[in-house]
Amino acid sequence: MRARLKEPWELNVMRSSGGRLAEVVALLREAIAPGVTTGDLDGLAEAAIRERGGIPSFKGYKPGDVVYPATICASPNEAVVHGIPNAVPLVDGDIISVDVGLIYGGYHSDCAFTAVVGEGDPEVRHLLDVTERSMYEGIASATPGNRIGDIGHSIQSFVEPHGFGIVQEYVGHGIGRLLHEPPSVPNYGKARSGQLLKPGMCIAIEPMITMGSHHTKTLDDGWTVVTVDGSLAAHFEHTVAITPRGPEILTMLDANRPKA
Ligand code: MF3
Ligand code: CO
């Protein structure tokens, strides 16, 4: 399916939505420490979203038979995505992937990051670094005139030399009035293939990268997606608008934006 292009006024609401989410993400990053539970992070996220006039978008989300029960997804260690927050304290050396989304003014934004609790092994920090950088490689390819496949191709060609796995069962997506809109945005692909990128498209770019097998399975809770081999996984995500001047990251704090 084709993406419906956003009008300029809609892009402005998307900017307001993404800016609020960027603030929530910054608070979540600061809160991660040994002893903190993912349930604590969930409470913090919901309060921060509501304080900003937003609505948590994952809570009550029901793609199939099961309703998602929380504001954030918190996926520790071998969990890739969709982990449900709980009362287990984080411990030094854990990695934790946090995914959070909100609706503001009727428009969604979606953002994720993986953090190490404490110092972490160099190997683990490398996985996180490669995953985050691969997201920015994908974002850099999100320019008018390029195609969806160019985004995936950039991510894939950046990640593969490091020997890490690229999860294929889950992909990025268009975003706007709905959390998931067309088109799908895979984290692998062929250059010059797929739908043409045009100004006014908004997409979530979200590589999920593993230290071992790229295959995943879902736990009995119906949500938590883990690597089949128990290898560690990382996930980074930004909501991005395609503009005539190139990609605009909507879920980034102004202070962190590259200076023009
Ligand atoms: N951020 C996820 C995505 O990009 C959505 C979380 S699914 C939910 O698809 F069920 F947790 F809401
Ligand atoms: Co997403």
Side-chain angles (χ1 to χ4, degrees):
M1 263 221 296
R2 302 270 128 191
R4 187 184 61 81
L5 304 180
K6 268 83 178 167
E7 307 285 343
W9 71 266
E10 294 181 284
L11 281 181
N12 280 332
V13 185
M14 291 288 293
R15 287 185 181 102
S16 304
S17 177
R20 282 166 172 77
L21 186 58
E23 292 175 5
V24 174
V25 165
L27 292 172
L28 286 166
R29 276 187 172 281
E30 283 168 28
I32 290 170
V36 172
T37 74
T38 52
D40 296 335
L41 297 176
D42 194 68
L44 186 158
E46 177 160 8
I49 289 170
R50 295 198 189 279
E51 269 165 29
R52 287 165 177 75
I55 301 166
S57 55
F58 297 176
K59 208 172 203 170
Y61 182 70
K62 192 170 180 282
D65 297 335
V66 267
V67 179
Y68 192 72
T71 294
I72 66 170
C73 299
S75 309
N77 301 318
E78 75 283 0
V80 183
V81 288
H82 303 172
I84 300 172
N86 60 30
V88 181
L90 296 170
V91 299
D92 198 77
D94 275 346
I95 68 171
I96 180 74
S97 297
V98 177
D99 192 345
V100 57
L102 64 76
I103 309 167
Y104 179 80
Y107 285 79
H108 285 258
S109 46
D110 189 4
C111 189
F113 66 92
T114 304
V116 191
V117 182
E119 272 291 290
D121 294 338
E123 228 193 335
V124 172
R125 292 202 304 268
H126 184 57
L127 172 71
L128 271 49
D129 187 51
V130 167
T131 307
E132 183 169 24
R133 282 159 59 196
S134 77
M135 173 187 65
Y136 286 110
E137 292 292 320
I139 292 171
S141 294
T143 56
N146 268 356
R147 291 175 182 273
I148 286 290
D150 290 304
I151 297 172
H153 180 73
S154 299
I155 294 169
Q156 182 174 14
S157 39
F158 183 79
V159 170
E160 280 181 346
H162 294 283
F164 294 139
I166 301 173
V167 172
Q168 299 182 13
E169 291 105 332
Y170 301 88
V171 296
H173 48 94
I175 182 166
R177 296 194 69 85
L178 302 176
L179 175 57
H180 297 132
E181 295 185 357
S184 290
V185 185
N187 297 304
Y188 51 87
K190 268 177 46 192
R192 315 313 303 161
S193 74
Q195 211 178 111
L196 189 62
L197 302 177
K198 293 181 183 163
M201 284 177 70
C202 293
I203 54 176
I205 299 179
E206 49 176 321
M208 290 146 265
I209 307 299
T210 67
M211 233 178 219
S213 170
H214 65 269
H215 291 292
T216 64
K217 62 177 184 192
T218 304
L219 298 184
D220 288 340
D221 64 17
W223 284 104
T224 313
V225 175
V226 298
T227 56
V228 285
D229 62 355
S231 64
L232 296 177
H235 177 209
F236 284 84
E237 175 176 25
H238 271 312
T239 298
V240 176
I242 290 153
T243 81
R245 294 163 304 286
E248 178 180 338
I249 303 177
L250 301 174
T251 43
M252 184 177 262
L253 293 176
D254 285 339
N256 295 341
R257 278 175 203 278
K259 293 283 168 289

